[in-house]
């Protein structure tokens, strides 16, 4: 009996996630497809602020939108991509890894907001935040000075 209850709960949880996907697919994002690195980062900060407000006021729609914008954030312009690639060389792989962590967990945060599950929102929020900071600690200064040297 206990087992049945466990599986029933699991099933309900699973079905509600699927329903979330089906009934509330991510709306067409109004963001541009590519953006220079710095304004794109500033936008990410604005999105994190929006998520923060959603968390502290328990406004799940704000969280859903902010997290969705983070997970669908524009890619770098070709010019910036080239700059980052030549600056980082083999380290590029790790850079991309941090980016993927942010994308992935921002989307999980969005889905948790759809389910109004604040604990899950926070769980993924912390991973996203760690991803932002890890990338900055490792690469921000190097890339920033390469960009300045490059004259843009
Ligand atoms: C994969 C690496 C990476 C990830 C992940 C990342 N950033 Fe950045 N971020 C950078 C780099 C590189 C710079 C420096 C860009 C420059 O100065 O050319 C930067 C700069 C910034 C800046 C400073 C912009 C300015 O005005 O100089 C902010 C704010 C910022 N990031 C916010 C965020 C937030 C918020 C997240 C997570 C949601 C995030 N970043 C995730 C690489 C990353």
């Amino acid at each position: 009996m206990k087992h049945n209850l466990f599986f029933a709960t699991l099933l309900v949880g699973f079905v509600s996630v699927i329903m979330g996907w089906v009934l509330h697919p991510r709306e067409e994002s109004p963001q541009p497809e590519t953006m220079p690195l710095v304004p794109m980062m500033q936008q990410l900060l604005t999105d994190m602020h929006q998520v923060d407000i959603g968390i502290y006021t328990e406004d799940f729609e704000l969280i859903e939108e902010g997290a969705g914008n983070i997970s669908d954030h524009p890619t770098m312009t070709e010019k910036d991509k080239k700059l980052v690639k030549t600056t980082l060389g083999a380290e590029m792989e790790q850079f991309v890894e941090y980016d993927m962590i942010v994308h992935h967990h921002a989307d999980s945060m969005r889905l948790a907001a759809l389910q109004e599950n604040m604990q899950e929102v926070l769980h993924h929020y912390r991973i996203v935040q760690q991803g932002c900071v890890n990338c900055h600690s490792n690469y921000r200064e190097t890339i920033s000075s390469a960009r300045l040297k490059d004259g843009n």
Side-chain angles (χ1 to χ4, degrees):
M1 265 321 269
K2 259 194 187 153
H3 268 93
N4 285 345
L5 193 63
F6 174 73
F7 284 117
T9 314
L10 209 66
L11 189 68
V12 168
F14 186 66
V15 168
S16 62
V17 170
I18 299 291
M19 294 291 279
W21 271 88
V22 173
L23 297 176
H24 305 276
R26 171 96 180 108
E27 279 163 29
E28 214 29 62
S29 157
Q31 307 186 97
E33 270 181 28
T34 65
M35 241 174 140
L37 188 55
V38 172
M40 187 239 281
M41 286 294 153
Q42 286 162 351
Q43 182 57 49
L44 284 179
L45 180 59
T46 305
D47 296 332
M48 284 298 266
H49 277 153
Q50 176 173 342
V51 169
D52 274 339
I53 296 172
I55 288 172
Y56 298 119
T57 62
E58 298 183 297
D59 183 333
F60 287 100
E61 274 180 31
L62 277 185
I63 301 173
E64 189 197 329
E65 189 184 57
N69 285 338
I70 294 168
S71 81
D72 288 350
H73 77 74
T75 54
M76 284 183 270
T77 52
E78 276 307 314
K79 193 171 168 214
D80 280 353
K81 227 181 260 174
K82 227 183 249 165
L83 177 77
V84 171
K85 267 190 191 161
T86 44
T87 308
L88 296 188
E91 289 279 311
M92 189 67 192
E93 215 169 294
Q94 184 61 60
F95 181 89
V96 170
E97 177 72 25
Y98 290 136
D99 185 47
M100 292 316 287
I101 290 172
V102 168
H103 277 287
H104 177 76
H105 287 277
D107 195 52
S108 301
M109 178 158 63
R110 179 182 77 83
L111 292 174
L114 264 174
Q115 295 183 284
E116 310 208 340
N117 185 336
M118 192 58 92
Q119 288 311 312
E120 275 298 296
V121 166
L122 278 183
H123 169 73
H124 294 292
Y125 180 94
R126 292 190 190 104
I127 301 174
V128 168
Q129 190 176 51
Q130 190 74 57
C132 310
V133 172
N134 282 346
C135 190
H136 293 167
S137 313
N138 287 289
Y139 304 120
R140 183 178 161 177
E141 210 172 295
T142 318
I143 291 171
S144 192
S145 40
R147 179 171 55 75
L148 291 174
K149 235 195 259 164
D150 212 42
N152 66 90

